Amino acid sequence: MARRQPGCERWLLLAACAHVLVLLPPPRSRAFALNVILDDAEDTAELPVLQKSEKSGTVSKRSRELKEIVFVIQSQSNSFHSKRAEDLKRDILKQAADLGKELPIVLLIHEINRHEGAWTILPLMRDFSIAYGRNSSWIFFCEEDTRIQVVKLLETLGRFDASKEWFLGKALYDEESTIIHHYAFAENPTVFKFPDFAAGWALSIPLVNKLAVKLKSEPLKSDFTIDLKHEIALYIWQKGDGPHLTPVPEFCTDDVNSYKVDQCATTFSNFLPLCKDPVKKEDVFVAVKTCRKFHGDRSHCGKTFAILERFLNHSSSRTPWLVIVDDDTLISIFRLRKLLSCYDPNEPVFLGERYGYGLGTGGYSYITGGGGMVFSRTAVQKLLASKCRCYSMDAPDDMVLGMCFSGLGIPITHSPLFHQARPMDYPKDYLSHQIPISFHKHWNIDPVKVYFTWLAPNTEEVLNGKKVGYNREDL
């Protein structure tokens, strides 16, 4: 890896190997108590508890299996995302009702609001074990855009003995060791499998109970949450003492119109959201952070807050969106404008790829800067009104912003379409069902080739089933 010239030091926001240079102390004013040790069932995080049916002796085997699955949708509180999660919840319950079966429990992660780090899943294992450890067989996790065929899911899970420890999912693996995963399994990274969340993944209750016991005696230790799906698989594996991920071919990320759909228990809506007309170009203010080699003095956090001040006080008050990127960020403004059509700029929106810091010990989530950070004007107004600022001019700006928004009670909004690393740093199968917004870093790549391969609009790009043309200036 080439060294940067003096004066052009950059935060490498991809992994702990960069972040360990400066560790932000967690805000003392808020106690998130993510890894709470619960003493009895009454302290669970407001989770609905399964009740035994009076007709349990007469219902069919499949009905009992359906009731014994707890669905957990990895939802978010932003209005656009919460609606999509609610739609999925209704679809699951409708399928169950159409079968004439007892309805399963469907949970939305963002509603389990006692946990700042609920999205990291592991802090909830104790709650899941207490609420569902006796009357359930499976916890099934999915994303808001996962589509589930309930009957096929029941058939798929029915192949596995739910009295044993199972970790099921669609398997991803690294073809090369990557900075995102701290170069784990460097000799042969293909040997370690981790789940593609988009396809859904499942834990048997015996494994949930085992993880709950372990988390009670050994709280989570990692400072940073960077790639959750890989980190969960590592924690479950426990250096060989726990189960590997078992690949399940019925957990799919094919589109609902794919010829493979009949064999799939899950599919995935792999189009770029377009809720109304794309945001106008003049409604997006783009700021590029750079370094001395290219543009004067660089102070990381100080420069970002100067951009925020400029956007709020010196740009048109009618400009609703601010995008801050690094000088080695590759981003499709063409696609971003379409994505932003789904968000309300009157809400405090802070959008990008989500990381976490110290979420097991009272920390916060943040948007990692390299993939691009998107702010609504309302979010910037609330932030600057709070007087929360950099603790030093060269502090890591994305982490400071995360701490500030956390203190304000404003949740960040995650989109997997923003990427902190290069395309080659992600499994091919993971990117195959995405229409990406951004990538980051120019190490050992041709950035122009990467842009035209991954980010430039196609001649006619299909969005929500509609073919949308583009002008040359959209490039």
Side-chain angles (χ1 to χ4, degrees), residues 287-391:
V288 181
K289 295 184 299 178
T290 186
C291 67
R292 182 180 303 165
K293 176 180 179 181
F294 302 109
H295 188 58
D297 292 336
R298 178 183 184 86
S299 58
H300 204 57
C301 189
K303 178 168 288 187
T304 295
F305 272 84
I307 291 171
L308 295 170
E309 294 276 3
R310 181 181 179 87
F311 169 73
L312 190 61
N313 299 317
H314 300 287
S315 68
S316 170
S317 60
R318 295 187 298 273
T319 304
W321 296 105
L322 168 66
V323 182
I324 301 180
V325 296
D326 289 353
D327 53 22
D328 57 353
T329 301
L330 299 169
I331 188 167
S332 171
I333 299 298
F334 176 78
R335 292 176 180 172
L336 177 63
R337 289 169 47 220
K338 292 175 169 59
L339 179 65
L340 289 180
S341 72
C342 296
Y343 295 94
D344 182 356
N346 295 314
E347 295 181 9
V349 178
F350 183 30
L351 172 68
E353 183 180 14
R354 176 177 55 196
Y355 279 11
Y357 174 68
L359 290 174
T361 55
Y364 48 86
S365 305
Y366 64 98
I367 296 298
T368 181
M373 300 182 291
V374 182
F375 307 77
S376 65
R377 178 172 288 271
T378 302
V380 176
Q381 289 171 335
K382 290 181 177 295
L383 172 65
L384 295 185
S386 73
K387 307 302 181 182
C388 184
R389 296 296 186 272
C390 311
Y391 63 85

Side-chain angles (χ1 to χ4, degrees), residues 177 183-191:
S177 60
Y183 301 105
F185 305 95
E187 293 184 0
N188 184 9
T190 65
V191 301

Side-chain angles (χ1 to χ4, degrees), residues 39-60:
D39 293 326
D40 53 59
E42 294 180 357
D43 289 331
T44 54
E46 301 179 356
L47 299 179
V49 179
L50 288 171
Q51 302 295 329
K52 293 183 178 180
S53 171
E54 295 178 358
K55 301 180 180 179
S56 60
T58 60
V59 294
S60 69

Side-chain angles (χ1 to χ4, degrees), residues 163-192:
S163 68
K164 298 181 179 179
E165 296 175 3
W166 290 105
F167 176 28
L168 308 179
K170 177 188 175 182
L172 298 174
Y173 61 87
D174 293 326
E175 295 184 4
E176 301 177 3
S177 60
T178 171
I179 189 172
I180 300 173
H181 300 149
H182 314 297
Y183 301 105
F185 305 95
E187 293 184 0
N188 184 9
T190 65
V191 301
F192 186 74

Side-chain angles (χ1 to χ4, degrees), residues 86-100:
E86 289 284 359
D87 289 345
L88 175 56
K89 177 178 180 177
R90 281 192 294 270
D91 181 67
I92 294 170
L93 296 177
K94 182 179 184 301
Q95 289 187 60
D98 288 346
L99 291 171

Side-chain angles (χ1 to χ4, degrees), residues 1-2 4 8-14 287-291 294 298 300 324-331 368-372 419-423 425 437-448 450-451 455:
M1 185 186 301
R4 288 187 177 267
C8 288
E9 294 86 352
R10 307 179 58 86
W11 279 94
L12 307 182
L13 305 173
L14 299 179
V288 181
K289 295 184 299 178
T290 186
C291 67
F294 302 109
R298 178 183 184 86
H300 204 57
I324 301 180
V325 296
D326 289 353
D327 53 22
D328 57 353
T329 301
L330 299 169
I331 188 167
T368 181
H419 300 87
Q420 174 65 23
R422 309 163 300 173
D425 294 315
I437 297 291
S438 70
F439 291 102
H440 183 223
K441 294 297 180 190
H442 295 174
W443 301 333
N444 302 319
I445 63 169
D446 178 349
V448 175
V450 168
Y451 179 83
L455 299 170

Side-chain angles (χ1 to χ4, degrees), residues 25-38 45 112-120 123-124 127 356-366 402-411:
R28 296 183 179 180
S29 59
R30 301 188 67 196
F32 297 114
L34 304 181
N35 209 28
V36 178
I37 303 303
L38 302 175
I112 310 174
N113 56 16
R114 67 177 284 177
H115 293 290
E116 166 74 9
W119 64 271
T120 63
L124 299 177
D127 298 336
Y357 174 68
L359 290 174
T361 55
Y364 48 86
S365 305
Y366 64 98
M403 184 171 61
C404 290
F405 280 115
S406 178
L408 289 170
I410 297 174

